[in-house]
Amino acid sequence: MASALPADPALPPVDARPVDGFDPVAAYRTMVLIRTYEERILQARTEREVIGPVHPYIGQEAVAVGVCAALEPRDHLVSHYRGHGHALARGVDPDALTAELFGRADGLCGGKAAALVSDPATHLLLSSGIVGAGIPVAAGAAMTSQVKGDGAVAVVFFGEGALGAGVVHETLTLAVVQRLPLILVCENNGYQGATRTEEVYPETSVARIAEAHRMPVHRVDGNDTLAVHAAATAAVAAARAGQGPSFIEASTYLTRFHLQFDRPSGEHRPAEERADWLARDPLGRLRQHLLAAGTAPAVLDALDTDAEQRVDAAITFARTSPWPAPEAALTNLWAATP
Amino acid sequence: MNELAVLDLILEQELDRNPDVVFLATSTPPSWRARFGAGRVRTCPISEPAMVGAALGAAMTGLRPVVDLNRASFAFLVMDQLVNHAARIHYLSDGAYRAPMVLTSATRGPQQLGPQNEQCPYGVFMQTPGVRVAVPGSATDACALLRTALRDEQGPVLLFIAPGLADHCDLRAALAAEPQPFGVARRIRGGDAATVLAIGSAVRAAEQAAADLAAEGVLVDLLDPRTLVPFDTAAVAESVLRTGRLVLVDDGPRSGAPAQILSGLLDVPGLAEALGGRIAHVSAPEVPIPSSPVLEAQFWATPERVVAAVRRLTTPS
């Protein structure tokens, strides 16, 4: 059953106890922002306001938010083409992000990147459009921390499809041997584009692949924000303590589809599988947790409203931002020598 | 380590000079690891794409990585990390991030490495916006350009070194070489009979050819561009507009650097008219490099081939 985590008794159970300092209400706020943002971005893509492909993150919000809540501002982050959730969880400005997706002058990267954003303000190095390719780049940021002794760690997000790429295995080898302060977060959603991973991999537990590289592994329910956060906190602590890299396998699901161009994707998933995952939606689960813990429903409803207003403002900002000057196409090929 | 041993001395000086310089290679000198630590001198598994990707991440976050790719053929292993990522990040981030990193590798030498391991692929990287391409024609320039590559911050540098430069190395001059700006050609000889533009390991053959021609009273303008990206179009165009004849000399294929250089020059106003078709190439054939020395002999830019090319252009028909 696709909704269940694959059984693997050789691996220890996840320690999902809440971690001190974690604010689940703040996590809920960010997850609602990501969800609301993505729904509107898909709509804006249909209306051809967003340029290029949109790869939605809907259904996986707990991973980005749980991991980013375990980071400090000094830490480095590498994302990929499905990176809106990572960017917002990391604190990237929604106005600049949206203007970038609209190809406008006020975009985070001046309209040159669309979804493949970088943002030095939040140490978001790269959102690679090539599967697996950002993983060695994050390893390099971890090398810098190691050489400079600044205590920062580097985190990279990727799907399980990245484990098909040779450079990922090269990086796992290098990172373990060199004890790099690197946290690899695999968002295992069971699909590589429209292809089911079980059809193309001999081993669908990517945690075992990481273990074969002698990398410590945390396996978590990726729809459980608290569980993700607990694993990320442990991995970050180990990396800061000089114990080297960790691998987090977060089992999750994309409840929509792989990507959208002008029209919503016609991609279909088995109805039972999708329904099963929708019943375990990360926002609903965190909301239930908060309500059970005594949070007033009105508090959470207000966060939903806040998210709508914030996204409205970002869309308006993007719509009113000018197009880039044509000559900007030729700028910033080379850095100036300071 | 590098076949041009003097480059190792320069790199060691630069490691000493700047604590942000780090070296990644599949083989590193034990003395460097002892002196600079395993954090700065990293012996890596055979994983060139991961090494170059890591160099990018390190460069973006404040280090000055140098990756020794060993053979220039191995540059093809790292195309995704180099071309799609390192060469793009400054542009992609609209100037927010920079990637000051250096990749070194050896091009062709008379080493019989054969079709897979013996290539001059720098022409490929001339059509890769975002990487700078240095192909020095002397050991002294190789040292100077390595220093520059390690000190400026404009973006990734590919440094292609011909093993043959070691045979004619003026060690004292090389060690004393100051950083040399990219994009400045070196005039080796002056003359009006023809412009001879020679690249990398072919510079030596062109020098001999120019000397042989001078003995007959034919004085050519001999230029070594030293860097292909950026390329000193102004210096070469000045020469070609004066001589009206151009011979491009390279140990790589004609469709590589020579074709791209010519294409760029023809954009210079008046240059095509000045040349009037008087263009010649001395290059490797458009096939892989064979291993047998007898077969490979046809693939070198020899002084005889350069002399013949100049004569063809300077003899009235």
Side-chain angles (χ1 to χ4, degrees):
Chain A
M1 190 65 220
S3 62
L5 293 172
D8 190 345
L11 289 161
V14 173
D15 180 357
R17 288 172 296 179
V19 176
D20 289 345
F22 179 59
D23 179 353
V25 175
Y28 182 81
R29 178 193 294 121
T30 307
M31 284 168 64
V32 169
L33 176 67
I34 295 169
R35 175 68 57 90
T36 308
Y37 186 82
E38 294 236 309
E39 299 279 10
R40 289 294 302 277
I41 290 300
L42 288 173
Q43 184 188 339
R45 174 64 255 201
T46 304
E47 290 157 8
R48 305 194 181 195
E49 289 186 301
V50 167
I51 58 170
V54 173
H55 293 84
Y57 194 63
I58 293 169
Q60 302 190 178
E61 296 90 343
V63 184
V65 172
V67 169
C68 288
L71 302 180
E72 297 176 7
R74 60 180 166 167
D75 298 326
H76 301 288
L77 202 72
V78 173
S79 178
H80 51 80
Y81 52 86
R82 196 184 303 289
H84 311 148
H86 307 142
L88 292 173
R90 184 58 175 162
V92 170
D93 174 29
D95 290 348
L97 178 63
T98 313
E100 186 61 39
L101 297 178
F102 278 49
R104 303 303 176 101
D106 296 311
L108 206 53
C109 302
K112 288 171 174 166
L116 304 182
V117 290
S118 294
D119 179 31
T122 57
H123 289 199
L124 172 57
L125 297 178
L126 176 73
S127 306
S128 179
I130 293 170
V131 172
I135 298 177
V137 180
M143 275 183 193
T144 300
S145 304
Q146 200 176 52
V147 170
K148 291 185 178 279
D150 62 13
V153 303
V155 174
V156 56
F157 292 96
F158 52 97
E160 85 277 15
L163 271 297
V167 72
V168 177
H169 299 274
E170 295 181 8
T171 307
L172 288 167
T173 299
L174 193 137
V176 171
V177 166
Q178 301 192 3
R179 295 177 82 84
L180 297 178
L182 175 68
I183 293 113
L184 299 111
V185 182
C186 179
E187 302 177 305
N188 188 347
N189 61 25
Y191 285 84
Q192 310 186 11
T195 302
R196 294 179 74 95
T197 290
E198 65 204 37
E199 294 174 19
V200 292
Y201 275 12
E203 170 62 81
T204 53
S205 170
V206 295
R208 293 182 64 176
I209 298 173
E211 286 181 326
H213 285 281
R214 300 295 187 101
M215 188 172 282
V217 170
H218 300 265
R219 298 184 71 199
V220 296
D221 178 346
N223 283 22
D224 180 342
T225 324
L226 277 68
V228 171
H229 181 255
T233 301
V236 168
R240 285 206 215 286
Q243 292 168 19
S246 300
F247 190 101
I248 297 172
E249 180 185 3
S251 296
T252 185
Y253 194 74
L254 278 177
T255 52
R256 292 296 182 82
F257 38 73
H258 171 62
L259 90 165
Q260 176 188 334
F261 283 101
D262 291 342
R263 288 182 300 282
S265 170
E267 181 185 331
H268 290 295
R269 307 272 173 85
E272 187 187 350
E273 173 184 281
R274 185 162 176 273
D276 205 31
W277 280 98
L278 281 171
R280 304 170 56 213
D281 184 77
L283 270 71
R285 288 179 67 176
L286 185 55
R287 190 178 179 99
Q288 288 305 317
H289 171 85
L290 287 166
L291 293 173
T295 308
V299 170
L300 303 180
D301 292 344
L303 295 179
D304 294 350
T305 308
D306 287 349
E308 296 278 355
Q309 290 173 351
R310 185 67 192 87
V311 173
D312 279 346
I315 297 276
T316 301
F317 177 84
R319 280 179 181 154
T320 54
S321 173
W323 291 104
E327 54 269 27
L330 304 181
T331 59
N332 285 320
L333 177 61
W334 310 112
T337 299
Chain B
M1 287 304 301
N2 206 285
E3 292 177 53
L4 189 57
V6 67
L7 280 182
D8 290 345
L9 298 175
I10 301 295
L11 186 52
E12 187 173 8
Q13 287 176 5
E14 295 294 316
L15 279 159
D16 202 31
R17 178 180 175 274
N18 181 354
D20 290 336
V21 173
V22 295
F23 180 64
L24 293 84
T26 53
S27 172
T28 62
S31 64
W32 288 12
R33 294 200 300 274
R35 184 169 170 204
F36 302 110
R40 293 184 61 207
V41 178
R42 290 181 188 255
T43 312
C44 297
I46 296 166
S47 55
E48 285 83 359
M51 290 158 67
V52 172
L56 171 59
M60 291 173 70
T61 50
L63 295 183
R64 287 308 179 91
V66 182
V67 180
D68 181 23
L69 288 179
N70 199 327
R71 305 307 309 185
S73 293
F74 303 162
F76 292 127
L77 302 178
V78 305
M79 290 298 264
D80 177 51
Q81 290 298 325
L82 177 65
V83 177
N84 293 328
H85 293 86
R88 300 285 182 265
I89 190 61
H90 190 71
Y91 186 83
L92 189 61
S93 66
D94 203 26
Y97 280 111
R98 53 181 71 207
M101 54 195 275
V102 182
L103 274 54
T104 59
S105 67
T107 58
R108 298 184 57 204
Q111 299 172 313
Q112 283 79 54
L113 291 172
Q116 289 180 335
N117 291 30
E118 187 161 317
Q119 298 184 64
C120 291
Y122 30 79
V124 172
F125 297 98
M126 294 177 74
Q127 52 176 291
T128 302
V131 290
R132 285 174 299 156
V133 182
V135 190
S138 71
T140 302
D141 282 340
C143 291
L145 294 170
L146 176 60
R147 284 200 204 280
T148 306
L150 279 163
R151 293 184 191 187
D152 79 12
E153 299 194 355
Q154 288 185 283
V157 174
L158 292 177
L159 185 56
F160 289 101
I161 305 294
L165 300 186
D167 300 337
H168 313 284
C169 178
D170 177 345
L171 189 63
R172 188 184 302 268
L175 277 173
E178 290 294 316
Q180 157 71 36
F182 279 25
V184 180
R186 179 167 70 105
R187 174 167 280 114
I188 299 169
R189 270 178 176 272
D192 292 330
T195 299
V196 177
L197 183 72
I199 300 165
S201 56
V203 168
R204 183 77 187 167
E207 281 186 284
Q208 184 60 53
D212 292 349
L213 286 162
E216 302 173 7
V218 178
L219 301 180
V220 300
D221 225 22
L222 175 59
L223 298 172
D224 169 5
R226 300 197 278 200
T227 62
L228 300 179
V229 181
F231 184 79
D232 192 348
T233 303
V236 180
E238 181 278 322
S239 174
V240 172
L241 288 168
R242 178 161 43 81
T243 66
R245 294 173 177 81
L246 175 62
V247 180
L248 292 152
V249 187
D250 186 20
D251 284 326
R254 187 181 72 103
S255 60
Q260 300 208 46
I261 289 170
L262 180 60
S263 157
L265 286 172
L266 290 176
D267 285 341
V268 175
L271 194 137
E273 293 80 356
L275 273 176
R278 290 179 292 274
I279 304 165
H281 294 275
V282 177
S283 307
E286 301 288 334
V287 295
I289 309 297
S291 289
S292 167
V294 173
L295 301 178
E296 190 187 9
Q298 305 164 73
F299 286 62
W300 294 106
T302 60
E304 294 75 21
R305 291 179 67 197
V306 177
V307 167
V310 172
R311 284 207 181 114
R312 201 159 61 242
L313 298 188
T314 53
T315 304
S317 54

